[in-house]
């Protein structure tokens, strides 16, 4: 008779990290599927094919690099069979990094670029720190930033079809185009609902904002990702955009366009919420999200490129230990002070974002107001009707 | 508030299934051949003052000795001869201590009952009865109950804790069903003793049988009430209970929130000691879990060995099990199943050994999100492993209550609560040192 003396409790929750990660994987697969559908229907056959192949290459190379790292220790184990090696890989979740990395890239990226980026992501971003659970930076974002620095100019967002015909997706993303036009709302070529639905070219995962929102909500409810991070990030981004948008006379439209373009939604759901690289306290998570939102908008309006999401995530990942240090202790201790300080920080961020309005092109209200025909009235936001009354 | 701080509780996934193992089952009576009376005070591990010696004949209720500091008596629980002294494992102290072995002569001769008291008795008499009948806090700590009633200024509420939030245990539920008369009598007595305005019987929601029995509790005495607490863990913890029922928080003792919290078992025993003059020598305990053949509630003399009962119920189901005195969440498993049931042990949980696939911490913060003490177990673990003393002190692990929720919830299956326990030991020592230094400076 053996009595186990392992520590209590002897009842454990059936929920495991592996299950959580599988749910996350399911969410990623849904997003991937949507982008495949998009490229096959809106783009051409070649783009659709590459949307599939890119992800597979990335997942394979990430997993292989991780397995290489496991081999030395695995060799020392008593019974080193292939099964135990695969089990190690399954519990290290390199494939999730792989799929996120591929979804962060546009469809026109070359296969060797993906492989280099995934090697950088896994080696520099993850394994050098000690593997799963010890990394400071989100590995997928590390890979993506590497791509931004090294290959960004050679990226194309669309591919020529097999017969040589040009894709509608060729050229820059609508975000960079928009930024190039000084954030002028009238310069948009893409129809309104296509922008909101995410029905435009960009990185693979950025298509279909609505799907991202739905997947995000489901993952939050299933407690796979933390709703505090997503919410505080999105609220910070939208408030900043709302303030800037006041200059364009269409603040709400401007805000929705800002949120739905670029990687904000994908970053909020799949990158920022990576538990390994985010703080653990509830208040810390809120602070983390709002700093990330601030940095995103700062880079978007004041940086050299409009792609601020990846850099902002890397920046806040760096701040995580600091936030955890500042908020050490019980979560209820000095709760009011902490809440006031965090609220004040967020307010300062919003005040700073007022300065972004300089440089944003003022959309001339008169241009839109001239013909008071029925169609135009329908097209405008409800807030405009008040303006019309005012002008009349 | 739970957006900004921890939730502080969690609905356990197997709570219904585990309780149903013993709900509604008939109580089995078990009489061992020998009982083993520990000769040590479990609160401060000091030996007790002996009243009898080896070779003496004792009856049920004979005083074997007194606890040294507060004169709480220890009773013999069967009649027979004290045959020898034996070293046995003690579940609460965690090491081997001396026990008197009483051979059961199966005659069950009783000592004459104590003087019968009722609601008209004086406060001093009632308080003295708490000492004489050895009424303890029967939740698991074994702290004498009279201490809570020595000073009762400002107390306005008595909470009777019958929540039983641990999985598998069902003895309080059973006691609620059969002891209604004593529960009501005991609550009235405690109201008189403390001068409080109301006494609230707290039990878990989703027990319609208990609802039915206690719906007329305030018929004779309007100050008696019932409250159904949420089916979460650890809703039976004093602090959680006071917060949920009375919406009050406190720093150290419930009396700061003008409340006294008593376990149901203590209240029933106090009523029995006063109205019947009985000293309690027998007890109903839950022997349950997936690792035993016939999980049931067993009525047995206190100080029976665990191994005897397990044998009586058909033995272990598996070769590799963990046995804990109390519930599976906060009681640590014993190395030796020959430890005895104490008067405040509520049960024995036998579970097959867990095979955990531990992987590195994901830092998901689920432990921080659920800690009832609002601590940050994940950070405490990291600070302990990194031997970062300063950070450990900042994280205040000495406030841990050892409920085990952080280990339960951990998706990476890390023994988080074990790390917190270790950090608690390190920091409590340091804290004492610091306080001593401060005192020295004054």
């Amino acid at each position: 008779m053996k009595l186990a003396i392992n520590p209590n409790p002897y009842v454990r929750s059936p929920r495991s990290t592996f299950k959580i990660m599988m749910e996350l994987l399911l969410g990623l697969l849904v997003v991937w599927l949507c982008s495949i559908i998009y490229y096959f229907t809106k783009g051409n056959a070649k783009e659709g094919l590459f949307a599939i192949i890119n992800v597979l290459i990335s997942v394979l190379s990430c997993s292989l690099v991780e397995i290489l790292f496991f081999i030395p220790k695995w060799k020392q184990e008593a019974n080193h069979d292939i099964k135990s090696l695969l089990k190690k890989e399954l519990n290290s979740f390199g494939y999730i990094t792989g799929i996120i990395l591929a979804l962060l890239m546009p469809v026109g990226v070359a296969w060797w670029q993906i492989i280099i980026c995934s090697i950088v992501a896994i080696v520099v971003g993850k394994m050098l720190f000690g593997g799963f659970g010890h990394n400071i930076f989100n590995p997928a974002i590390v890979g993506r930033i590497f791509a931004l620095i090294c290959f960004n100019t050679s990226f194309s967002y669309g591919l020529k079809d097999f017969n040589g015909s040009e894709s509608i997706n060729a050229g820059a993303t609508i975000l960079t185009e928009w930024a190039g036009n000084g954030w002028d709302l009238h310069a948009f070529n893409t129809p309104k609902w296509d922008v909101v639905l995410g029905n435009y070219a960009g990185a693979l995962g950025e298509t279909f904002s609505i799907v991202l929102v739905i997947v995000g909500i489901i993952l939050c409810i299933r407690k796979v990702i933390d709703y505090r991070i997503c919410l505080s990030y999105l609220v910070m981004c939208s408030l900043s955009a709302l303030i800037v948008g006041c200059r364009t006379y269409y603040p709400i439209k401007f805000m929705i366009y800002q949120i739905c373009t670029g990687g904000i939604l994908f970053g909020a759901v799949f990158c920022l919420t990576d538990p390994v690289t985010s703080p653990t306290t509830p208040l810390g998570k809120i602070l983390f999200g709002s700093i990330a939102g601030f940095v995103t908008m700062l880079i978007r309006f004041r940086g050299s490129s409009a792609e601020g999401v990846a850099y902002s995530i890397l920046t806040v990942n760096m701040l995580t230990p600091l936030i955890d240090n500042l908020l050490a202790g019980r979560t209820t201790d000095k709760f009011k002070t902490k809440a006031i300080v965090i609220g004040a920080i967020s307010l300062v961020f919003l005040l700073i974002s007022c300065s972004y309005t300089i440089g944003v092109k003022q959309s001339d209200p008169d241009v839109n107001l001239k013909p008071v025909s029925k169609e135009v009235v329908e097209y405008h936001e409800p807030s405009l009707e008040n303006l019309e009354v005012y002008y009349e | 508030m739970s957006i900004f701080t921890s939730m502080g509780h969690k609905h356990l996934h197997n709570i219904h299934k585990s309780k149903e193992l013993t709900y509604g089952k008939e109580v089995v009576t078990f009489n061992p051949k020998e009982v083993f009376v520990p000769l040590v005070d479990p609160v401060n591990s000091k030996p007790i003052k002996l009243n009898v010696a080896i070779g003496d004949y004792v009856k049920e209720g004979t005083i074997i000795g007194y606890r040294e500091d507060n004169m709480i008596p220890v009773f013999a629980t069967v009649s027979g001869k004290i045959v020898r002294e034996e070293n046995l494992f003690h579940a609460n102290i965690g090491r081997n201590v001396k026990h008197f072995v009483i051979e059961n002569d199966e005659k069950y001769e009783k000592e004459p009952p104590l003087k019968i008291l009722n609601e008209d008795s004086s406060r001093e008499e009632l308080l003295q009865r708490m000492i004489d009948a050895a009424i303890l806090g029967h939740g698991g700590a074994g702290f004498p109950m009279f201490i809570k009633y020595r000073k009762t200024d400002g107390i306005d509420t008595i909470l009777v804790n019958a929540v039983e939030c641990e999985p598998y245990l069902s003895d309080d539920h059973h006691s609620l069903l059969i002891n209604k008369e004593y529960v009501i009598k005991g609550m009235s007595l405690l109201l008189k003793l403390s001068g409080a305005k109301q006494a609230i019987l707290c039990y878990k929601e989703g027990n319609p049988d208990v609802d039915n029995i206690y719906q007329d509790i305030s018929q004779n005495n309007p100050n008696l009430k019932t409250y159904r607490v949420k089916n979460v863990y650890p809703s039976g913890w004093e602090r959680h209970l006071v917060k949920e029922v009375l919406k009050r928080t406190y720093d150290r003792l419930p009396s700061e929130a003008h409340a006294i919290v008593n376990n149901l078992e203590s209240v029933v025993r106090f009523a029995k000691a006063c109205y019947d003059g009985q000293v309690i020598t027998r007890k109903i305990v839950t022997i349950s879990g997936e690792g035993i053949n016939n999980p049931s509630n067993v009525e047995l003399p206190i100080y029976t060995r665990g191994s005897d009962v397990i044998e009586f119920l058909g033995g272990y189901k598996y070769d590799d099990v963990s046995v804990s005195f109390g519930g599976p969440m906060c009681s640590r498993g014993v190395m030796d199943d020959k430890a005895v049931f104490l008067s405040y042990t509520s049960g024995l949980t036998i579970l097959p050994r867990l095979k955990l696939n531990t992987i590195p911490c994901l830092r998901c913060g689920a432990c921080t999100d659920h800690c009832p003490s609002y601590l940050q177990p994940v950070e405490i673990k990291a600070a302990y492993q990194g031997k970062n003393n300063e950070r450990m002190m900042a994280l205040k692990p000495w406030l841990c209550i050892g409920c085990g929720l952080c280990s339960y919830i951990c998706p990476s299956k890390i023994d988080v609560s074990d790390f917190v326990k270790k950090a608690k030991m390190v920091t409590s020592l340091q804290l004492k040192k610091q306080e001593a230094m401060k005192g020295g400076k004054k």
Side-chain angles (χ1 to χ4, degrees), chain B residues 22-36:
Chain B
T22 48
Y23 268 10
K25 263 197 180 179
E26 219 168 295
V27 176
V28 197
T29 312
F30 172 62
N31 287 307
K33 290 205 176 83
E34 287 171 335
V35 296
F36 300 74

Side-chain angles (χ1 to χ4, degrees), chain A residues 32-53 107 161-162 169 208:
Chain A
W32 182 29
L33 195 72
C34 286
S35 81
I36 292 172
I37 292 170
Y38 168 78
Y39 281 106
F40 266 119
T41 52
K42 277 271 178 167
N44 49 41
K46 198 178 176 187
E47 282 176 349
L49 219 57
F50 271 85
I52 300 175
I53 292 172
V107 71
D161 202 359
F162 294 115
N169 295 325
F208 287 122

Side-chain angles (χ1 to χ4, degrees), chain B residues 56-175:
Chain B
D56 286 0
Y57 180 82
V58 290
K59 295 178 188 168
E60 242 184 274
T62 306
I63 295 168
I64 290 200
Y66 293 96
R67 286 205 200 171
E68 208 170 51
D69 46 354
N70 42 33
M71 301 306 283
I72 298 271
V74 173
F75 300 111
T77 53
V78 293
S79 58
K81 208 173 154 191
I82 302 177
V83 283
R84 60 179 190 276
E85 211 177 69
E86 199 173 307
N87 265 334
L88 270 186
F89 188 74
H90 191 290
N92 267 50
I93 299 173
R95 57 181 163 82
N96 284 9
V97 298
K98 273 181 192 167
H99 290 62
F100 267 167
V101 184
I102 305 173
E103 216 174 37
N104 187 358
D105 64 359
E106 315 238 336
K107 284 178 192 152
Y108 304 105
E109 278 181 58
K110 288 185 180 172
E111 291 278 337
L114 303 168
K115 190 187 146 197
I116 287 172
L117 302 176
N118 56 27
E119 273 188 76
D120 303 325
S121 310
S122 72
R123 197 184 130 82
E124 283 68 37
E125 270 180 315
L126 288 172
L127 260 184
Q128 191 56 43
R129 179 55 52 90
M130 276 191 192
I131 301 174
D132 290 345
I135 312 289
L136 308 172
H138 289 281
F143 213 62
M145 182 173 167
F146 78 94
I147 291 176
K148 289 180 179 173
Y149 287 91
R150 272 189 311 201
K151 268 190 185 171
T152 53
D153 314 329
I155 301 292
D156 63 8
T157 310
I158 306 278
L159 293 178
V160 179
N161 184 352
V163 178
E164 211 165 45
C165 56
E166 283 259 14
Y168 295 101
L169 301 184
S170 66
D171 58 318
D172 273 1
H173 179 256
H174 188 79
S175 177

